[in-house]
Amino acid sequence: MPVRTVAIDDPGDLVGRMPEHGGVAWLHEGDGFVGWGTYARFDVDGPGRFARANAWWAELCATFDVVDEVDVRGTGPLAVGSFTFDDRSGSSALVVPEVVLGRRNGRAWLTTIGCDAEIPAPSEPRPPVNVRFEDGSRSPAEWVSIVADAVGRIRDGHLDKVVLARDVRARADDDVDTRALLERLSRRYHDCWAFSCDGLVGATPELLIRREDRNVWSRVLAGTLPRGRDEADDDRLAAQLLASAKDIEEHEYAARSASAVLEGHCEKLDVEESPHIVKLANVQHLGTDLIGRLSDHNAASALDLAGALHPTAAVCGTPTDVARELIWEIEGLDRARYAGPVGWLDADGDGEWCISLRCAEVDGPTLRLFAGCGIVADSQPDAELAEAETKLMVIRDALGGGVPVG
């Protein structure tokens, strides 16, 4: 099958070129790509879902006849995917768009698979109308009780950390134009990775893995406080976060879990000795960057590495198996693809995969919003609820705020 990537003039707004429903997108700091049309799709569930998806993509790539006149990261054929947090949940998917429109470092391109395509004129996304919110799987009081249960088990020595998620449901008057969410998220959270894939839309700050040839990068985030009212207050909160024994403990579990996996794949891995502050529009996190070089005999693709890293202690806990079972037992919701890997993969195995945080599942006029918090022995349940609410505001604001119902 012929695949052609050609250079084009800068198309400007990428989101406005997407269809109202069914497109894919991956945007970061003004660059990235959008895509539409489905050339192929692979739905997969259960254990081994990452390996089976990677094998399917490799087989599909062997059928392509690729001409790439641009040859930068993201050109040529791409698969865009989102995977479930737990292999006991529903389906994960890799989607191969027929048409991809992209821009990176001042260069723009159009990729087509087996078709001719013109770049559509931009259209204005439709803002959601009359959005109402209601409790999700658990009320706030019930969720606080679940956190208290987890804290008790940690203090009793059953595990060191667990990450608990909370969901909120929303409904608009009409089917939600996912481009409206994506446009607002990519504009306000330009330093996050804004994504849209198979009904999952969000803006995540956490890079699970980027692979370019043998070079890999990962950023672990764990430990959170809000942004300050002004610069002085912001600096005070940042200093408080760096001095917080509870947040440092939570972060160290996450950083160690990621570095332990990457050490098994890399001939060289540099890990920051201590976390730094990562400031986003509404919160600030403790962050640790990991930079490595894959062993010369290592053929792991970006998706292979994402599957090996998932789930990190940043979204599950530690020990991993104990935390995952506790989540399944007490959390009271099906995370589906929340906190699972989301990203893209090219024909060379390069790509970027993040953790699907600050996101919502969109199904016509209904949405399910997610947020999660890392729980350790010193966690205070009411404070964790406040942190979850702060994280949920990312999608609430993108929906226009809305009003509670019920």
Side-chain angles (χ1 to χ4, degrees):
M1 178 61 64
V3 179
R4 300 291 181 266
T5 296
V6 297
I8 59 171
D9 293 334
D10 192 327
D13 173 37
L14 293 173
V15 175
R17 309 278 184 172
M18 295 174 65
E20 185 172 325
H21 304 290
V24 297
W26 188 261
L27 304 167
H28 182 240
E29 295 184 339
D31 282 348
F33 63 82
V34 298
W36 56 89
T38 302
Y39 172 75
R41 178 188 175 103
F42 184 69
D43 295 285
V44 61
D45 57 18
R49 61 199 187 283
F50 295 101
R52 284 184 283 148
N54 193 73
W56 173 83
W57 173 239
E59 290 175 6
L60 186 65
C61 286
T63 69
F64 292 147
D65 175 19
V66 180
V67 175
D68 186 348
E69 300 175 4
V70 181
D71 195 24
V72 299
R73 186 158 54 94
T75 59
L78 297 179
V80 185
S82 59
F83 286 76
T84 56
F85 171 79
D86 197 295
D87 60 21
R88 292 166 287 190
S89 285
S91 184
S92 305
L94 277 182
V95 178
V96 183
E98 283 184 319
V99 183
V100 172
L101 178 66
R103 178 179 56 236
R104 188 176 306 282
N105 298 328
R107 303 182 69 188
W109 68 88
L110 182 71
T111 298
T112 56
I113 302 180
C115 66
D116 295 321
E118 294 184 359
I119 301 172
S123 61
E124 195 71 23
R126 239 179 350 96
V129 177
N130 193 24
V131 180
R132 292 91 68 197
F133 295 93
E134 61 185 10
D135 288 344
S137 305
R138 293 289 184 267
S139 70
E142 289 170 331
W143 195 77
V144 166
S145 177
I146 291 168
V147 173
D149 181 5
V151 170
R153 299 193 194 207
I154 292 169
R155 291 176 178 174
D156 287 342
H158 295 289
L159 71 167
D160 298 312
K161 173 188 174 181
V162 66
V163 180
L164 294 177
R166 181 163 181 256
D167 66 342
V168 170
R169 297 187 182 274
R171 175 176 287 274
D173 282 354
D174 300 307
D175 287 357
V176 174
D177 182 348
T178 55
R179 299 175 307 163
L181 289 179
L182 188 64
E183 190 275 330
R184 292 174 178 177
L185 291 168
S186 62
R187 176 166 37 85
R188 184 170 188 202
Y189 302 95
H190 67 281
D191 47 0
C192 293
W193 286 265
F195 59 88
S196 179
C197 178
D198 199 31
L200 189 70
V201 184
T204 177
E206 191 149 359
L207 177 66
L208 185 61
I209 194 72
R210 175 191 297 143
R211 197 197 94 162
E212 294 181 31
D213 193 20
R214 289 173 55 197
N215 300 311
V216 294
W217 295 262
S218 181
R219 169 168 285 183
V220 174
L221 301 180
T224 307
L225 281 178
R227 295 295 301 270
R229 296 181 300 273
D230 52 36
E231 186 175 351
D233 190 40
D234 206 42
D235 290 342
R236 178 188 63 80
L237 288 168
Q240 178 182 327
L241 187 57
L242 287 168
S244 167
K246 176 262 181 187
D247 289 292
I248 292 291
E249 178 188 15
E250 177 189 342
H251 184 86
E252 286 179 346
Y253 290 133
R256 284 202 298 266
S257 72
S259 62
V261 171
L262 290 179
E263 283 172 355
H265 291 271
C266 292
E267 64 182 22
K268 179 182 179 183
L269 182 67
D270 294 324
V271 182
E272 288 183 299
E273 292 185 3
S274 57
H276 63 278
I277 295 293
V278 176
K279 294 190 177 186
L280 306 176
N282 64 329
V283 295
Q284 45 194 326
H285 297 290
L286 293 175
T288 293
D289 291 336
L290 301 88
I291 302 173
R293 185 164 178 81
L294 294 174
S295 306
D296 58 8
H297 62 275
N298 195 307
S301 72
L303 181 55
D304 286 326
L305 294 169
L309 284 161
H310 179 76
T312 70
V315 292
C316 180
T318 189
T320 302
D321 290 344
V322 177
R324 184 163 42 198
E325 290 307 311
L326 182 59
I327 290 167
W328 193 262
E329 176 189 348
I330 71 172
E331 193 170 66
L333 62 90
D334 182 355
R335 291 187 179 189
R337 292 173 291 154
Y338 168 72
V342 60
W344 61 272
L345 182 70
D346 73 10
D348 295 323
D350 290 342
E352 285 183 319
W353 292 86
C354 289
I355 300 173
S356 54
L357 308 174
R358 320 295 201 271
C359 62
E361 291 178 340
V362 182
D363 183 9
T366 65
L367 305 97
R368 193 156 69 118
L369 291 60
F370 297 91
C373 298
I375 311 302
V376 293
D378 291 338
S379 293
Q380 300 298 316
D382 288 335
E384 300 299 338
L385 178 63
E387 179 180 322
E389 290 295 329
T390 298
K391 293 173 177 177
L392 285 167
M393 286 305 297
V394 171
I395 302 295
R396 283 185 185 268
D397 287 349
L399 288 166
V403 295
V405 298

